[in-house]
PDB file of all heavy atoms in Angstrom:
ATOM      1  N   GLN A   1     -29.374  20.496   0.240  1.00 98.00           N
ATOM      2  CA  GLN A   1     -28.274  20.341  -0.708  1.00 98.00           C
ATOM      3  C   GLN A   1     -27.963  21.673  -1.396  1.00 98.00           C
ATOM      4  O   GLN A   1     -26.798  22.081  -1.501  1.00 98.00           O
ATOM      5  CB  GLN A   1     -28.630  19.306  -1.776  1.00 98.00           C
ATOM      6  CG  GLN A   1     -28.607  17.861  -1.328  1.00 98.00           C
ATOM      7  CD  GLN A   1     -29.121  16.942  -2.428  1.00 98.00           C
ATOM      8  OE1 GLN A   1     -30.320  16.684  -2.516  1.00 98.00           O
ATOM      9  NE2 GLN A   1     -28.235  16.474  -3.281  1.00 98.00           N
ATOM     10  N   GLN A   2     -29.009  22.337  -1.862  1.00 98.00           N
ATOM     11  CA  GLN A   2     -28.810  23.593  -2.594  1.00 98.00           C
ATOM     12  C   GLN A   2     -28.212  24.668  -1.698  1.00 98.00           C
ATOM     13  O   GLN A   2     -27.312  25.406  -2.109  1.00 98.00           O
ATOM     14  CB  GLN A   2     -30.143  24.059  -3.177  1.00 98.00           C
ATOM     15  CG  GLN A   2     -30.649  23.138  -4.284  1.00 98.00           C
ATOM     16  CD  GLN A   2     -32.025  23.527  -4.769  1.00 98.00           C
ATOM     17  OE1 GLN A   2     -32.983  23.585  -4.000  1.00 98.00           O
ATOM     18  NE2 GLN A   2     -32.150  23.812  -6.054  1.00 98.00           N
ATOM     19  N   LYS A   3     -28.705  24.753  -0.485  1.00 98.00           N
ATOM     20  CA  LYS A   3     -28.198  25.758   0.452  1.00 98.00           C
ATOM     21  C   LYS A   3     -26.732  25.506   0.783  1.00 98.00           C
ATOM     22  O   LYS A   3     -25.897  26.421   0.740  1.00 98.00           O
ATOM     23  CB  LYS A   3     -29.048  25.726   1.731  1.00 98.00           C
ATOM     24  CG  LYS A   3     -28.560  26.669   2.831  1.00 98.00           C
ATOM     25  CD  LYS A   3     -29.383  26.487   4.105  1.00 98.00           C
ATOM     26  CE  LYS A   3     -29.083  25.162   4.784  1.00 98.00           C
ATOM     27  NZ  LYS A   3     -29.812  25.000   6.061  1.00 98.00           N
ATOM     28  N   VAL A   4     -26.394  24.257   1.097  1.00 98.00           N
ATOM     29  CA  VAL A   4     -25.024  23.929   1.511  1.00 98.00           C
ATOM     30  C   VAL A   4     -24.068  24.017   0.321  1.00 98.00           C
ATOM     31  O   VAL A   4     -22.920  24.430   0.471  1.00 98.00           O
ATOM     32  CB  VAL A   4     -24.972  22.544   2.190  1.00 98.00           C
ATOM     33  CG1 VAL A   4     -23.547  22.117   2.469  1.00 98.00           C
ATOM     34  CG2 VAL A   4     -25.770  22.577   3.498  1.00 98.00           C
ATOM     35  N   ALA A   5     -24.525  23.646  -0.874  1.00 98.00           N
ATOM     36  CA  ALA A   5     -23.675  23.768  -2.060  1.00 98.00           C
ATOM     37  C   ALA A   5     -23.232  25.211  -2.262  1.00 98.00           C
ATOM     38  O   ALA A   5     -22.052  25.489  -2.532  1.00 98.00           O
ATOM     39  CB  ALA A   5     -24.428  23.265  -3.289  1.00 98.00           C
ATOM     40  N   LYS A   6     -24.156  26.138  -2.112  1.00 98.00           N
ATOM     41  CA  LYS A   6     -23.823  27.560  -2.276  1.00 98.00           C
ATOM     42  C   LYS A   6     -22.862  28.019  -1.178  1.00 98.00           C
ATOM     43  O   LYS A   6     -21.934  28.799  -1.436  1.00 98.00           O
ATOM     44  CB  LYS A   6     -25.099  28.402  -2.276  1.00 98.00           C
ATOM     45  CG  LYS A   6     -25.947  28.195  -3.523  1.00 98.00           C
ATOM     46  CD  LYS A   6     -27.225  29.015  -3.450  1.00 98.00           C
ATOM     47  CE  LYS A   6     -28.015  28.952  -4.764  1.00 98.00           C
ATOM     48  NZ  LYS A   6     -28.509  27.603  -5.078  1.00 98.00           N
ATOM     49  N   ARG A   7     -23.069  27.526   0.035  1.00 98.00           N
ATOM     50  CA  ARG A   7     -22.157  27.892   1.120  1.00 98.00           C
ATOM     51  C   ARG A   7     -20.751  27.329   0.870  1.00 98.00           C
ATOM     52  O   ARG A   7     -19.754  27.964   1.217  1.00 98.00           O
ATOM     53  CB  ARG A   7     -22.715  27.414   2.466  1.00 98.00           C
ATOM     54  CG  ARG A   7     -23.909  28.228   2.914  1.00 98.00           C
ATOM     55  CD  ARG A   7     -24.458  27.816   4.253  1.00 98.00           C
ATOM     56  NE  ARG A   7     -23.512  27.981   5.352  1.00 98.00           N
ATOM     57  CZ  ARG A   7     -23.825  27.857   6.637  1.00 98.00           C
ATOM     58  NH1 ARG A   7     -25.076  27.580   6.985  1.00 98.00           N
ATOM     59  NH2 ARG A   7     -22.917  28.024   7.574  1.00 98.00           N
ATOM     60  N   MET A   8     -20.667  26.155   0.278  1.00 98.00           N
ATOM     61  CA  MET A   8     -19.354  25.598  -0.077  1.00 98.00           C
ATOM     62  C   MET A   8     -18.632  26.519  -1.050  1.00 98.00           C
ATOM     63  O   MET A   8     -17.436  26.802  -0.892  1.00 98.00           O
ATOM     64  CB  MET A   8     -19.518  24.220  -0.713  1.00 98.00           C
ATOM     65  CG  MET A   8     -19.950  23.105   0.211  1.00 98.00           C
ATOM     66  SD  MET A   8     -20.047  21.560  -0.754  1.00 98.00           S
ATOM     67  CE  MET A   8     -21.017  20.535   0.350  1.00 98.00           C
ATOM     68  N   ILE A   9     -19.346  26.973  -2.069  1.00 98.00           N
ATOM     69  CA  ILE A   9     -18.727  27.851  -3.057  1.00 98.00           C
ATOM     70  C   ILE A   9     -18.371  29.192  -2.443  1.00 98.00           C
ATOM     71  O   ILE A   9     -17.290  29.746  -2.684  1.00 98.00           O
ATOM     72  CB  ILE A   9     -19.649  27.998  -4.280  1.00 98.00           C
ATOM     73  CG1 ILE A   9     -19.602  26.687  -5.076  1.00 98.00           C
ATOM     74  CG2 ILE A   9     -19.238  29.184  -5.156  1.00 98.00           C
ATOM     75  CD1 ILE A   9     -20.573  26.590  -6.198  1.00 98.00           C
ATOM     76  N   ASP A  10     -19.238  29.721  -1.598  1.00 98.00           N
ATOM     77  CA  ASP A  10     -18.925  30.975  -0.904  1.00 98.00           C
ATOM     78  C   ASP A  10     -17.675  30.826  -0.038  1.00 98.00           C
ATOM     79  O   ASP A  10     -16.927  31.789   0.164  1.00 98.00           O
ATOM     80  CB  ASP A  10     -20.107  31.407  -0.037  1.00 98.00           C
ATOM     81  CG  ASP A  10     -21.305  31.868  -0.856  1.00 98.00           C
ATOM     82  OD1 ASP A  10     -21.122  32.201  -2.047  1.00 98.00           O
ATOM     83  OD2 ASP A  10     -22.434  31.870  -0.313  1.00 98.00           O
ATOM     84  N   ALA A  11     -17.426  29.618   0.452  1.00 98.00           N
ATOM     85  CA  ALA A  11     -16.249  29.367   1.293  1.00 98.00           C
ATOM     86  C   ALA A  11     -14.980  29.167   0.475  1.00 98.00           C
ATOM     87  O   ALA A  11     -13.876  29.185   1.032  1.00 98.00           O
ATOM     88  CB  ALA A  11     -16.491  28.146   2.172  1.00 98.00           C
ATOM     89  N   GLY A  12     -15.126  28.963  -0.857  1.00 98.00           N
ATOM     90  CA  GLY A  12     -13.936  28.834  -1.694  1.00 98.00           C
ATOM     91  C   GLY A  12     -13.885  27.614  -2.584  1.00 98.00           C
ATOM     92  O   GLY A  12     -12.905  27.421  -3.314  1.00 98.00           O
ATOM     93  N   ALA A  13     -14.925  26.758  -2.561  1.00 98.00           N
ATOM     94  CA  ALA A  13     -14.934  25.583  -3.440  1.00 98.00           C
ATOM     95  C   ALA A  13     -15.049  26.028  -4.898  1.00 98.00           C
ATOM     96  O   ALA A  13     -15.749  26.986  -5.214  1.00 98.00           O
ATOM     97  CB  ALA A  13     -16.086  24.653  -3.077  1.00 98.00           C
ATOM     98  N   ASP A  14     -14.362  25.310  -5.787  1.00 98.00           N
ATOM     99  CA  ASP A  14     -14.365  25.640  -7.210  1.00 98.00           C
ATOM    100  C   ASP A  14     -15.252  24.719  -8.031  1.00 98.00           C
ATOM    101  O   ASP A  14     -15.646  25.066  -9.148  1.00 98.00           O
ATOM    102  CB  ASP A  14     -12.933  25.567  -7.752  1.00 98.00           C
ATOM    103  CG  ASP A  14     -12.031  26.595  -7.099  1.00 98.00           C
ATOM    104  OD1 ASP A  14     -12.161  27.779  -7.444  1.00 98.00           O
ATOM    105  OD2 ASP A  14     -11.220  26.223  -6.232  1.00 98.00           O
ATOM    106  N   LEU A  15     -15.557  23.544  -7.513  1.00 98.00           N
ATOM    107  CA  LEU A  15     -16.373  22.570  -8.228  1.00 98.00           C
ATOM    108  C   LEU A  15     -16.975  21.622  -7.202  1.00 98.00           C
ATOM    109  O   LEU A  15     -16.275  21.185  -6.279  1.00 98.00           O
ATOM    110  CB  LEU A  15     -15.509  21.788  -9.228  1.00 98.00           C
ATOM    111  CG  LEU A  15     -16.136  20.601  -9.949  1.00 98.00           C
ATOM    112  CD1 LEU A  15     -17.289  21.053 -10.843  1.00 98.00           C
ATOM    113  CD2 LEU A  15     -15.092  19.856 -10.786  1.00 98.00           C
ATOM    114  N   ILE A  16     -18.274  21.297  -7.364  1.00 98.00           N
ATOM    115  CA  ILE A  16     -18.942  20.368  -6.448  1.00 98.00           C
ATOM    116  C   ILE A  16     -19.485  19.197  -7.253  1.00 98.00           C
ATOM    117  O   ILE A  16     -20.206  19.383  -8.232  1.00 98.00           O
ATOM    118  CB  ILE A  16     -20.073  21.072  -5.677  1.00 98.00           C
ATOM    119  CG1 ILE A  16     -19.469  22.169  -4.783  1.00 98.00           C
ATOM    120  CG2 ILE A  16     -20.860  20.074  -4.829  1.00 98.00           C
ATOM    121  CD1 ILE A  16     -20.481  23.077  -4.155  1.00 98.00           C
ATOM    122  N   ILE A  17     -19.112  17.984  -6.813  1.00 98.00           N
ATOM    123  CA  ILE A  17     -19.493  16.759  -7.512  1.00 98.00           C
ATOM    124  C   ILE A  17     -20.255  15.869  -6.533  1.00 98.00           C
ATOM    125  O   ILE A  17     -19.665  15.227  -5.669  1.00 98.00           O
ATOM    126  CB  ILE A  17     -18.250  16.016  -8.039  1.00 98.00           C
ATOM    127  CG1 ILE A  17     -17.464  16.917  -9.000  1.00 98.00           C
ATOM    128  CG2 ILE A  17     -18.650  14.718  -8.721  1.00 98.00           C
ATOM    129  CD1 ILE A  17     -16.100  16.369  -9.371  1.00 98.00           C
ATOM    130  N   GLY A  18     -21.590  15.849  -6.639  1.00 98.00           N
ATOM    131  CA  GLY A  18     -22.420  15.090  -5.710  1.00 98.00           C
ATOM    132  C   GLY A  18     -22.637  13.650  -6.149  1.00 98.00           C
ATOM    133  O   GLY A  18     -22.603  13.321  -7.330  1.00 98.00           O
ATOM    134  N   THR A  19     -22.859  12.779  -5.150  1.00 98.00           N
ATOM    135  CA  THR A  19     -23.184  11.373  -5.400  1.00 98.00           C
ATOM    136  C   THR A  19     -24.243  10.908  -4.394  1.00 98.00           C
ATOM    137  O   THR A  19     -24.567  11.621  -3.459  1.00 98.00           O
ATOM    138  CB  THR A  19     -21.931  10.467  -5.273  1.00 98.00           C
ATOM    139  OG1 THR A  19     -21.393  10.577  -3.938  1.00 98.00           O
ATOM    140  CG2 THR A  19     -20.846  10.860  -6.261  1.00 98.00           C
ATOM    141  N   HIS A  20     -24.772   9.696  -4.615  1.00 98.00           N
ATOM    142  CA  HIS A  20     -25.653   8.927  -3.745  1.00 98.00           C
ATOM    143  C   HIS A  20     -27.053   8.638  -4.288  1.00 98.00           C
ATOM    144  O   HIS A  20     -27.517   7.499  -4.159  1.00 98.00           O
ATOM    145  CB  HIS A  20     -25.820   9.498  -2.337  1.00 98.00           C
ATOM    146  CG  HIS A  20     -26.867   8.760  -1.556  1.00 98.00           C
ATOM    147  ND1 HIS A  20     -26.702   7.439  -1.164  1.00 98.00           N
ATOM    148  CD2 HIS A  20     -28.129   9.107  -1.138  1.00 98.00           C
ATOM    149  CE1 HIS A  20     -27.794   7.028  -0.522  1.00 98.00           C
ATOM    150  NE2 HIS A  20     -28.672   8.006  -0.501  1.00 98.00           N
ATOM    151  N   PRO A  21     -27.792   9.585  -4.876  1.00 97.00           N
ATOM    152  CA  PRO A  21     -29.202   9.303  -5.191  1.00 97.00           C
ATOM    153  C   PRO A  21     -29.438   8.174  -6.201  1.00 97.00           C
ATOM    154  O   PRO A  21     -30.585   7.772  -6.400  1.00 97.00           O
ATOM    155  CB  PRO A  21     -29.709  10.654  -5.721  1.00 97.00           C
ATOM    156  CG  PRO A  21     -28.860  11.667  -5.019  1.00 97.00           C
ATOM    157  CD  PRO A  21     -27.507  11.030  -5.003  1.00 97.00           C
ATOM    158  N   HIS A  22     -28.403   7.666  -6.856  1.00 97.00           N
ATOM    159  CA  HIS A  22     -28.509   6.567  -7.831  1.00 97.00           C
ATOM    160  C   HIS A  22     -29.260   6.949  -9.093  1.00 97.00           C
ATOM    161  O   HIS A  22     -29.570   6.098  -9.926  1.00 97.00           O
ATOM    162  CB  HIS A  22     -29.109   5.302  -7.199  1.00 97.00           C
ATOM    163  CG  HIS A  22     -28.281   4.767  -6.068  1.00 97.00           C
ATOM    164  ND1 HIS A  22     -27.001   4.287  -6.236  1.00 97.00           N
ATOM    165  CD2 HIS A  22     -28.558   4.667  -4.746  1.00 97.00           C
ATOM    166  CE1 HIS A  22     -26.528   3.899  -5.061  1.00 97.00           C
ATOM    167  NE2 HIS A  22     -27.437   4.131  -4.145  1.00 97.00           N
ATOM    168  N   VAL A  23     -29.565   8.216  -9.228  1.00 97.00           N
ATOM    169  CA  VAL A  23     -30.059   8.791 -10.481  1.00 97.00           C
ATOM    170  C   VAL A  23     -29.332  10.127 -10.666  1.00 97.00           C
ATOM    171  O   VAL A  23     -28.786  10.687  -9.707  1.00 97.00           O
ATOM    172  CB  VAL A  23     -31.589   9.027 -10.473  1.00 97.00           C
ATOM    173  CG1 VAL A  23     -32.342   7.708 -10.343  1.00 97.00           C
ATOM    174  CG2 VAL A  23     -31.990   9.993  -9.355  1.00 97.00           C
ATOM    175  N   VAL A  24     -29.319  10.607 -11.884  1.00 98.00           N
ATOM    176  CA  VAL A  24     -28.687  11.894 -12.149  1.00 98.00           C
ATOM    177  C   VAL A  24     -29.589  13.008 -11.645  1.00 98.00           C
ATOM    178  O   VAL A  24     -30.789  13.013 -11.902  1.00 98.00           O
ATOM    179  CB  VAL A  24     -28.422  12.068 -13.655  1.00 98.00           C
ATOM    180  CG1 VAL A  24     -27.748  13.407 -13.918  1.00 98.00           C
ATOM    181  CG2 VAL A  24     -27.560  10.930 -14.186  1.00 98.00           C
ATOM    182  N   GLN A  25     -29.003  13.944 -10.914  1.00 98.00           N
ATOM    183  CA  GLN A  25     -29.760  15.104 -10.451  1.00 98.00           C
ATOM    184  C   GLN A  25     -29.333  16.361 -11.209  1.00 98.00           C
ATOM    185  O   GLN A  25     -28.524  16.305 -12.126  1.00 98.00           O
ATOM    186  CB  GLN A  25     -29.566  15.300  -8.942  1.00 98.00           C
ATOM    187  CG  GLN A  25     -30.296  14.271  -8.098  1.00 98.00           C
ATOM    188  CD  GLN A  25     -30.330  14.635  -6.618  1.00 98.00           C
ATOM    189  OE1 GLN A  25     -29.456  15.335  -6.098  1.00 98.00           O
ATOM    190  NE2 GLN A  25     -31.342  14.141  -5.921  1.00 98.00           N
ATOM    191  N   ALA A  26     -29.887  17.484 -10.790  1.00 97.00           N
ATOM    192  CA  ALA A  26     -29.674  18.766 -11.460  1.00 97.00           C
ATOM    193  C   ALA A  26     -28.219  19.207 -11.427  1.00 97.00           C
ATOM    194  O   ALA A  26     -27.421  18.786 -10.588  1.00 97.00           O
ATOM    195  CB  ALA A  26     -30.540  19.825 -10.783  1.00 97.00           C
ATOM    196  N   SER A  27     -27.906  20.116 -12.361  1.00 98.00           N
ATOM    197  CA  SER A  27     -26.680  20.896 -12.306  1.00 98.00           C
ATOM    198  C   SER A  27     -27.066  22.338 -11.979  1.00 98.00           C
ATOM    199  O   SER A  27     -28.206  22.751 -12.201  1.00 98.00           O
ATOM    200  CB  SER A  27     -25.937  20.837 -13.631  1.00 98.00           C
ATOM    201  OG  SER A  27     -25.481  19.528 -13.900  1.00 98.00           O
ATOM    202  N   GLU A  28     -26.104  23.084 -11.475  1.00 98.00           N
ATOM    203  CA  GLU A  28     -26.355  24.490 -11.168  1.00 98.00           C
ATOM    204  C   GLU A  28     -25.085  25.280 -11.410  1.00 98.00           C
ATOM    205  O   GLU A  28     -23.973  24.798 -11.169  1.00 98.00           O
ATOM    206  CB  GLU A  28     -26.813  24.655  -9.716  1.00 98.00           C
ATOM    207  CG  GLU A  28     -27.218  26.067  -9.362  1.00 98.00           C
ATOM    208  CD  GLU A  28     -27.920  26.190  -8.021  1.00 98.00           C
ATOM    209  OE1 GLU A  28     -28.105  25.159  -7.340  1.00 98.00           O
ATOM    210  OE2 GLU A  28     -28.292  27.310  -7.648  1.00 98.00           O
ATOM    211  N   TYR A  29     -25.261  26.494 -11.909  1.00 98.00           N
ATOM    212  CA  TYR A  29     -24.140  27.419 -12.109  1.00 98.00           C
ATOM    213  C   TYR A  29     -24.334  28.565 -11.135  1.00 98.00           C
ATOM    214  O   TYR A  29     -25.336  29.271 -11.175  1.00 98.00           O
ATOM    215  CB  TYR A  29     -24.120  27.919 -13.550  1.00 98.00           C
ATOM    216  CG  TYR A  29     -22.938  28.795 -13.885  1.00 98.00           C
ATOM    217  CD1 TYR A  29     -21.653  28.266 -13.949  1.00 98.00           C
ATOM    218  CD2 TYR A  29     -23.115  30.146 -14.163  1.00 98.00           C
ATOM    219  CE1 TYR A  29     -20.564  29.073 -14.265  1.00 98.00           C
ATOM    220  CE2 TYR A  29     -22.039  30.960 -14.488  1.00 98.00           C
ATOM    221  CZ  TYR A  29     -20.770  30.412 -14.542  1.00 98.00           C
ATOM    222  OH  TYR A  29     -19.691  31.215 -14.857  1.00 98.00           O
ATOM    223  N   TYR A  30     -23.359  28.749 -10.248  1.00 98.00           N
ATOM    224  CA  TYR A  30     -23.511  29.726  -9.162  1.00 98.00           C
ATOM    225  C   TYR A  30     -22.195  30.466  -8.961  1.00 98.00           C
ATOM    226  O   TYR A  30     -21.151  29.859  -8.714  1.00 98.00           O
ATOM    227  CB  TYR A  30     -23.921  28.998  -7.880  1.00 98.00           C
ATOM    228  CG  TYR A  30     -23.933  29.853  -6.632  1.00 98.00           C
ATOM    229  CD1 TYR A  30     -24.928  30.809  -6.422  1.00 98.00           C
ATOM    230  CD2 TYR A  30     -22.956  29.698  -5.651  1.00 98.00           C
ATOM    231  CE1 TYR A  30     -24.928  31.596  -5.273  1.00 98.00           C
ATOM    232  CE2 TYR A  30     -22.964  30.466  -4.491  1.00 98.00           C
ATOM    233  CZ  TYR A  30     -23.953  31.424  -4.312  1.00 98.00           C
ATOM    234  OH  TYR A  30     -23.957  32.193  -3.170  1.00 98.00           O
ATOM    235  N   LYS A  31     -22.236  31.777  -9.109  1.00 97.00           N
ATOM    236  CA  LYS A  31     -21.069  32.642  -8.916  1.00 97.00           C
ATOM    237  C   LYS A  31     -19.852  32.152  -9.710  1.00 97.00           C
ATOM    238  O   LYS A  31     -18.726  32.137  -9.218  1.00 97.00           O
ATOM    239  CB  LYS A  31     -20.728  32.762  -7.428  1.00 97.00           C
ATOM    240  CG  LYS A  31     -21.756  33.543  -6.630  1.00 97.00           C
ATOM    241  CD  LYS A  31     -21.281  33.800  -5.199  1.00 97.00           C
ATOM    242  CE  LYS A  31     -22.286  34.664  -4.446  1.00 97.00           C
ATOM    243  NZ  LYS A  31     -21.856  34.908  -3.037  1.00 97.00           N
ATOM    244  N   GLY A  32     -20.098  31.741 -10.948  1.00 96.00           N
ATOM    245  CA  GLY A  32     -19.003  31.328 -11.811  1.00 96.00           C
ATOM    246  C   GLY A  32     -18.512  29.917 -11.572  1.00 96.00           C
ATOM    247  O   GLY A  32     -17.529  29.488 -12.189  1.00 96.00           O
ATOM    248  N   LYS A  33     -19.188  29.158 -10.703  1.00 98.00           N
ATOM    249  CA  LYS A  33     -18.752  27.798 -10.360  1.00 98.00           C
ATOM    250  C   LYS A  33     -19.832  26.784 -10.739  1.00 98.00           C
ATOM    251  O   LYS A  33     -21.017  27.090 -10.753  1.00 98.00           O
ATOM    252  CB  LYS A  33     -18.447  27.686  -8.864  1.00 98.00           C
ATOM    253  CG  LYS A  33     -17.501  28.756  -8.326  1.00 98.00           C
ATOM    254  CD  LYS A  33     -16.117  28.692  -8.933  1.00 98.00           C
ATOM    255  CE  LYS A  33     -15.197  29.763  -8.334  1.00 98.00           C
ATOM    256  NZ  LYS A  33     -13.853  29.734  -8.918  1.00 98.00           N
ATOM    257  N   TYR A  34     -19.394  25.563 -10.975  1.00 98.00           N
ATOM    258  CA  TYR A  34     -20.281  24.505 -11.452  1.00 98.00           C
ATOM    259  C   TYR A  34     -20.599  23.526 -10.324  1.00 98.00           C
ATOM    260  O   TYR A  34     -19.706  23.079  -9.597  1.00 98.00           O
ATOM    261  CB  TYR A  34     -19.615  23.757 -12.609  1.00 98.00           C
ATOM    262  CG  TYR A  34     -20.530  22.822 -13.362  1.00 98.00           C
ATOM    263  CD1 TYR A  34     -21.211  23.248 -14.492  1.00 98.00           C
ATOM    264  CD2 TYR A  34     -20.726  21.509 -12.936  1.00 98.00           C
ATOM    265  CE1 TYR A  34     -22.062  22.400 -15.194  1.00 98.00           C
ATOM    266  CE2 TYR A  34     -21.575  20.655 -13.624  1.00 98.00           C
ATOM    267  CZ  TYR A  34     -22.228  21.107 -14.753  1.00 98.00           C
ATOM    268  OH  TYR A  34     -23.069  20.265 -15.431  1.00 98.00           O
ATOM    269  N   ILE A  35     -21.880  23.179 -10.210  1.00 98.00           N
ATOM    270  CA  ILE A  35     -22.351  22.200  -9.226  1.00 98.00           C
ATOM    271  C   ILE A  35     -23.090  21.093  -9.967  1.00 98.00           C
ATOM    272  O   ILE A  35     -23.967  21.375 -10.781  1.00 98.00           O
ATOM    273  CB  ILE A  35     -23.332  22.837  -8.214  1.00 98.00           C
ATOM    274  CG1 ILE A  35     -22.698  24.032  -7.504  1.00 98.00           C
ATOM    275  CG2 ILE A  35     -23.818  21.791  -7.196  1.00 98.00           C
ATOM    276  CD1 ILE A  35     -23.722  24.941  -6.809  1.00 98.00           C
TER     277      ILE A  35
END
């Protein structure tokens, strides 16, 4: 998840909103973008 999230932002994504685990997971700030 962490590796692909960073690749998404490197490709041009501005915000990543994950779902599925049924609990709240971490947030991350990477290259000025929020995950």
Side-chain angles (χ1 to χ4, degrees):
Q1 286 174 271
Q2 292 175 302
K3 176 185 71 177
V4 173
K6 290 178 173 65
R7 288 182 62 170
M8 289 181 196
I9 287 172
D10 290 341
D14 296 285
L15 172 64
I16 296 170
I17 301 169
T19 60
H20 173 67
H22 299 296
V23 297
V24 181
Q25 287 192 333
S27 294
E28 185 169 0
Y29 185 69
Y30 172 73
K31 291 188 176 179
K33 309 296 181 181
Y34 191 93
I35 303 163

